[in-house]
Amino acid sequence: MLRPSPMDLTGVFAGTFNAFKQRLWLLVLISLLPTLVSIAFVVIVGLGTAGLVGAAIANPRSLWASVPGLVIAMIAGIFVIALAAIKAQGMTTLAAYEIAQGQRPDFAGVWKRNSGFLPRMAPVIAIFFVAFAALYAAFIALFVSIVGSLDGNSGARAAGSFALLFLLIIALIPIGIFIQTKLLYTVPAIAIEQAGGIDGMKRSWTLTRGAFWRTFGYYFVGSLAVGVIAYVVSFVAQIPLLSVRGLERYGDPSQAAAAVAAIMPIYLIVASIQLLLQLVTQPFIYTYVAYMFVDQVRRVEQPPAAAWGGYGQPGPQGGYYAAPGQGYPQPGQPYPPQPAPGSQGYPQPPQPGPAPEAGPQPGNGQPPTPPQTGGWQPPQG
C-alpha cells in the first residue's frame, strides 16, 4: 500500500519496492513481452537474410530485387517492437495501480483490462513520430549542407551550418527535458484513468502545473538510482570478459578460436545478467512513475487536509478516484472495487479513531457525482 500523500521520495521508493515484493514475477513477465518480440524479430530477419544470401549465390540479380522487401520488413519489425514496449509500459502501470489497491492482478487480467490502451495511445504515437521525423529531417538537411559546403570549398557556409547544428543540439536539451517532464504522466493517465491520447497529454500537462521541478526532481532521482545500479551490476558482470581482449596475440587461428569457445559461456552469463537487469529496472521505473502520478493526483484533487483531519486520516472518500470523464472507474463499473470506509484502503491507510460524521459516503464502491462546473471536487458536508 502507498503512504498517505503528500509522499516524499522515500514514500515513492517504498511503494515501488513494496509492489515488487508482492508481484515481482508479474512485473518481470510483462517486461518480457517486448524482449520476446525482439527475439522473434531477430530470428525472422536472420532466416530471411540467410535465404536472400542463398538466393543471391544462385542468382546475384535476385539480391537487389529483394532489398526493398527486406528494408520494409525491418521497419515493420522495429515498429512492432516499439508497440510491444509501449504495451508493456501500459500494462505495468495498470498492474502497479492495482497492486497499490491491495489486489493481486495476473497477466491475463491485466492484458484484458489494458486491451484498449494502444488504440488510445495512437494519437500520442503519431505526434511523437511526426516530431521525431521532422527533427531527423532537420539534422539530415544540416549535415548535407555541411558536406556540400566542404565539397565546394565554402568554409564560411560550412561553419555556419555547423554552428546552426550545434545550437540546435544545445537547444533541444532543455526543450526535451521540459516536454518529457510535462508529459511524464501521459501513460499513467491513459492506462489508469482510460483517458484518450490527447486527453492524457492534457491531463499530464495540467497535473504538472506548479509542480514541474518536484516532478522533474523525483523522476531524475529515480532514474539516476536505477541507472547507477544497472551500470555497477553490468560493469561487474563484464569484468571476466576483459581476458578476451588481446586475441591478436594468438598466431594460430585455431588457438584464437579455442580461446573464444572457452570464453563463450561467460558471454552467455553476462548477456543473461544484462537481460535480467533490464527486465527488473524497466518495470521498476514504470511503477515508480505510476506512484508519482497517483501521489500528484491526490495532492491536486483530494479534499484539503484541514477539511477531514489531515493526510493519513479517514477522509470523505474511501480511495482514489479518477477525474470525471477520465473513465477509471466509471459509474456502473464494479472494477476496481473501492475499499470500504475504515478498511485497509488505497491511497490512505486506516487509522484508529471515529470516521467523519458529516458528508455523504460513496455507495457500492463508486465515487459520488461531482459538480459539473469543473474537475473532481470533494462532497460538501
Side-chain angles (χ1 to χ4, degrees), residues 4 312-314 349-354:
Q313 302 298 323
Q351 299 291 336

Side-chain angles (χ1 to χ4, degrees), residues 169-320:
I169 295 174
I170 295 299
L172 284 176
I173 295 175
I175 294 175
I177 292 175
F178 176 78
I179 294 177
Q180 182 184 22
T181 303
K182 293 294 292 183
L183 298 180
L184 183 64
Y185 298 141
T186 300
V187 170
I190 297 174
I192 295 174
E193 297 181 346
Q194 298 183 5
I198 303 300
D199 290 336
M201 297 175 71
K202 293 179 180 178
R203 175 79 160 147
S204 178
W205 199 276
T206 301
L207 284 174
T208 53
R209 184 179 301 159
F212 175 85
W213 291 111
R214 175 165 50 81
T215 304
F216 170 75
Y218 275 38
Y219 182 70
F220 177 78
V221 172
S223 301
L224 181 64
V226 171
V228 169
I229 294 175
Y231 175 80
V232 171
V233 174
S234 179
F235 177 78
V236 172
Q238 293 185 38
I239 290 179
L241 296 180
L242 297 177
S243 60
V244 180
R245 298 179 180 178
L247 289 177
E248 63 275 2
R249 68 178 183 270
Y250 294 103
D252 188 354
S254 61
Q255 293 179 348
V260 172
I263 206 70
M264 189 59 64
I266 300 180
Y267 269 114
L268 296 177
I269 293 175
V270 171
S272 300
I273 292 176
Q274 292 179 337
L275 175 60
L276 180 61
L277 192 64
Q278 179 181 357
L279 294 178
V280 173
T281 56
Q282 200 67 60
F284 185 92
I285 199 65
Y286 292 159
T287 303
Y288 180 89
V289 172
Y291 292 161
M292 284 179 56
F293 168 77
V294 172
D295 178 58
Q296 183 61 21
V297 170
R298 298 193 308 192
R299 288 171 182 258
V300 173
E301 298 180 354
Q302 266 194 341
W308 45 276
Y311 285 102
Q313 302 298 323
Q317 305 301 322
Y320 158 68

Side-chain angles (χ1 to χ4, degrees), residues 80-105:
V80 171
I81 293 174
L83 290 181
I86 296 173
K87 175 70 173 180
Q89 183 178 1
M91 291 181 64
T92 302
T93 302
L94 181 59
Y97 172 78
E98 295 177 353
I99 293 170
Q101 285 191 310
Q103 303 175 31
R104 292 187 60 84

Side-chain angles (χ1 to χ4, degrees), residues 330-350:
Q330 288 288 345
Q333 294 180 353
Y335 180 84
Q338 301 294 341
S343 65
Q344 181 74 11
Y346 167 78
Q348 57 271 356

